[in-house]
Amino acid sequence: MKKTLSILCCCLILLSLVSCDPAMYTISRGSLSNIVKIELYNYENNAPELLDVDGEKKPKFDFNKATLIATLDESRFDEILNEISSYHYTNYGNALNEPMGKTLVLHRSNGNFIVLFGCIYTNENGNTFYYGDCYEFHKDGSFYTHTGDVDYLFPDRIEAKYFKTDSGTAD
């Protein structure tokens, strides 16, 4: 009996350790049906700070800190939205205070917008982070929801594949 109880406890501990993976999310293609404009920006964030998305401070977006790089032709919307909806976004529960670097903005017909960005940044302790995220904001730039992390190279790949810019050439 003692041996069986010990084995059961070990199995429960092992099971609890294995089931601690972060949540994975996708953006359904149907939820992207109201996208009316897709733009690529360079977003200036001179004071990046990692936040707990469940905490008091929330990420924000300020178009005054964003410089437009390019606007995607509407004929390419289906292709890029299909690609974005095929990604799996891992949610670790943290997010940068604002986007940083190349930032893809998907504008919804109601004024809200989805932001996907990737960057490399160094924090105040000198640690370098390779980071990317997907948020949704209300039309006034206030935080709505955090979908999860994206690969830090995501915007560069999207720019090269879909946008005609000086640093990227569309397919």
Side-chain angles (χ1 to χ4, degrees):
M1 179 70 176
K2 211 176 203 182
K3 187 175 183 179
T4 305
L5 188 57
S6 294
I7 291 172
L8 181 63
C9 286
C10 287
C11 288
L12 288 174
I13 290 171
L14 184 60
L15 182 63
S16 69
L17 292 175
V18 171
S19 62
C20 292
D21 290 338
M24 297 283 284
Y25 297 94
T26 58
I27 300 173
S28 74
R29 179 60 181 91
S31 73
L32 298 174
S33 63
N34 66 345
I35 300 298
V36 295
K37 184 168 39 169
I38 300 175
E39 297 174 313
L40 183 66
Y41 287 91
N42 185 45
Y43 194 97
E44 291 295 325
N45 181 350
N46 296 321
E49 176 187 355
L50 203 56
L51 306 175
D52 176 355
V53 293
D54 293 327
E56 195 172 301
K57 291 174 77 176
K58 301 291 183 194
K60 61 182 179 178
F61 192 95
D62 181 355
F63 277 102
N64 293 318
K65 294 182 177 183
T67 304
L68 182 64
I69 297 171
T71 301
L72 187 66
D73 185 87
E74 200 172 324
S75 66
R76 308 243 16 224
F77 278 22
D78 279 339
E79 188 180 353
I80 194 172
L81 294 175
N82 287 338
E83 183 170 338
I84 289 168
S85 67
S86 72
Y87 288 130
H88 288 83
Y89 303 89
T90 307
N91 192 329
Y92 292 101
N94 54 32
L96 276 184
N97 58 333
E98 295 180 79
M100 185 174 179
K102 288 185 184 165
T103 302
L104 186 69
V105 178
L106 312 175
H107 297 271
R108 293 188 181 277
S109 58
N110 67 357
N112 289 1
F113 52 97
I114 298 171
V115 170
L116 297 107
F117 73 96
C119 64
I120 300 172
Y121 76 96
T122 303
N123 70 3
E124 66 277 355
N125 298 324
N127 299 320
T128 300
F129 294 91
Y130 300 85
Y131 194 79
D133 238 331
C134 177
Y135 314 135
E136 186 164 352
F137 293 93
H138 295 285
K139 61 185 169 187
D140 66 357
S142 63
F143 180 75
Y144 176 63
T145 188
H146 176 245
T147 303
D149 295 3
V150 297
D151 175 23
Y152 77 97
L153 292 173
F154 171 83
D156 292 326
R157 284 195 310 274
I158 291 296
E159 178 183 16
K161 187 171 182 178
Y162 296 103
F163 290 89
K164 292 180 182 172
T165 65
D166 291 338
S167 60
T169 56
D171 290 342

